[in-house]
Amino acid sequence: MGDTEAVQGRSAPRAYIGSFTSAGGLGVLAADVDAATGALTVTGASDAVADPSFLALAGPVLHAVSETEPGAVAAFDVTGPVPRPLGEPVSVDGAAPTHLAHAAGHLLTANYTSGSVTVLPLAADGTPRPATDVLRHEGRGTVPGRQSGPHAHQVLPDPSGRWVVSVDLGTDSVRICALDPATGVLTLHRETALRPGTGPRHLAFHPAGTHAYVLNELEPTLTVCRWDAEAGVLEPLGETPVVPEGTTGPSYPSEVVAAPDGRFLWAAVRGDDTLAVLALDPDGAKAALVATVPCGGAWPRDLTLDPSGRRLYAANERSGDVTWFDVDPETGVPVRAGAIEAPAASCVVFG
């Protein structure tokens, strides 16, 4: 479809939506955000890159994975109403990248099928350059068909900026690495094993930087961990369910988000198609499921908190929409406030 445009100009806060073009998605969508209501209005889209399932913003440049085999990353200029590609996609030397993040002037991708993490330096204009390193995970898990080998699903820097952590669904573990900003080389520091068969997918840090919360996909649980940024040590403390007791049918958690004040966590659960609300104790060492609400669609692949910390946005892949919720500041319970159509939606980021 090329580039499409609906609204000229740019006078509002912005959001960007990733989607699966192979499933009818429009690619990378840009949207204005109504600051008063949280409502999204799509201003344009670009399908220049196949399956841009996850996005990350760095100033006026938006980076997107291309969740394909072989995988790639691409850059977009988002200063206008329509995302504009900057150069050609760059190979990640891996298959099916599902997540990316910025660290120390580099772009990092978690490559699910190949079970690896790739480091790509960024040029002055924000475009990615060829990879400087590919850290290949090793190992396997206990669940047939899902854990026959490593499956890196997320990579991100820790709040201190000292470490890069990668969450691997296939090996039931989280790896802590050091990134050399001069060479773009990752060095494995240690690997933290989680309970076999849980299938860790994504991780969120407590705003104080003292704890981390690993959301498991193969079992609908959250693993609470202590995080020692000085030593680079992740220590599992316990697990909490993210679906109510007695829930039947398959439930596949996808994303976890921490409140800026450290009082709540929210998790999206596919299959069950709910948003789970978890209350944290004052130091963040314990989490308790206090409520679940419908996600407003089907198969919530991603969940995002807006910059104000007052609204949640769910990218519902199978129902093809993005729903948003006002969060009750006292209870943490989200209340649905609106939705827009977004075929094969996979993530939402703000900038």
Side-chain angles (χ1 to χ4, degrees):
M1 63 174 263
D3 289 342
T4 63
E5 185 170 335
V7 176
Q8 293 290 338
R10 176 172 177 175
S11 59
R14 303 284 278 170
Y16 304 95
I17 302 166
S19 65
F20 285 98
T21 57
S22 60
L26 303 180
V28 177
L29 291 76
D32 286 338
V33 185
D34 187 307
T37 66
L40 302 180
T41 301
V42 174
T43 61
S46 172
D47 66 355
V49 176
D51 290 345
S53 64
F54 201 85
L55 312 173
L57 192 67
V61 178
L62 183 75
H63 295 109
V65 301
S66 181
E67 192 176 329
T68 54
E69 297 186 32
V73 292
F76 293 83
D77 179 335
V78 289
T79 56
V82 180
R84 181 175 63 85
L86 293 172
E88 295 296 319
V90 176
S91 171
V92 299
D93 296 333
T98 57
H99 191 266
L100 79 171
H102 300 105
H106 293 77
L107 189 64
L108 299 98
T109 67
N111 311 313
Y112 180 83
T113 301
S114 55
S116 59
V117 171
T118 301
V119 184
L120 305 101
L122 293 174
D125 64 356
T127 55
R129 315 314 300 164
T132 51
D133 195 21
V134 179
L135 181 71
R136 304 190 186 281
H137 292 183
E138 297 180 355
R140 60 189 304 165
T142 61
V143 178
R146 294 300 308 273
Q147 294 187 313
S148 59
H151 292 303
H153 211 301
Q154 183 196 35
V155 62
L156 73 166
D158 86 302
S160 75
R162 295 185 179 98
W163 309 100
V164 167
V165 300
S166 56
V167 183
D168 196 301
L169 185 149
T171 62
D172 290 317
S173 62
V174 177
R175 287 167 176 80
I176 298 101
C177 298
L179 173 62
D180 185 331
T183 63
V185 172
L186 277 176
T187 302
L188 181 63
H189 172 66
R190 68 172 61 230
E191 182 177 355
T192 299
L194 303 181
R195 184 167 62 82
T198 52
R201 177 184 172 97
H202 274 205
L203 171 157
F205 285 99
H206 189 281
T210 54
H211 293 84
Y213 310 97
V214 183
L215 188 65
N216 302 308
E217 177 174 337
L218 302 185
E219 290 192 14
T221 59
L222 179 92
T223 304
V224 179
C225 303
R226 180 177 292 110
W227 172 242
D228 183 341
E230 189 67 32
V233 174
L234 187 71
E235 177 191 359
L237 300 177
E239 290 182 29
T240 300
V242 294
V243 295
E245 185 177 353
T247 297
T248 59
S251 298
Y252 303 105
S254 60
E255 183 63 288
V256 58
V257 178
D261 62 6
R263 296 175 58 212
F264 300 104
L265 296 171
W266 299 279
V269 183
R270 297 164 299 173
D272 197 43
D273 291 342
T274 57
L275 306 183
V277 184
L278 298 105
L280 295 174
D281 69 354
D283 67 359
K286 294 181 179 180
L289 180 65
V290 295
T292 61
V293 301
C295 72
W299 212 252
R301 184 179 174 90
D302 186 51
L303 185 65
T304 308
L305 196 65
D306 78 341
S308 75
R310 298 178 300 176
R311 296 188 184 93
L312 286 164
Y313 291 75
N316 300 313
E317 181 182 351
R318 294 187 178 175
S319 56
D321 49 39
V322 172
T323 49
W324 57 91
F325 301 77
D326 295 327
V327 175
D328 186 303
E330 297 303 318
T331 66
V333 174
V335 177
R336 180 174 170 168
I340 60 164
E341 182 180 353
S346 55
C347 81
V348 181
V349 299
F350 289 88

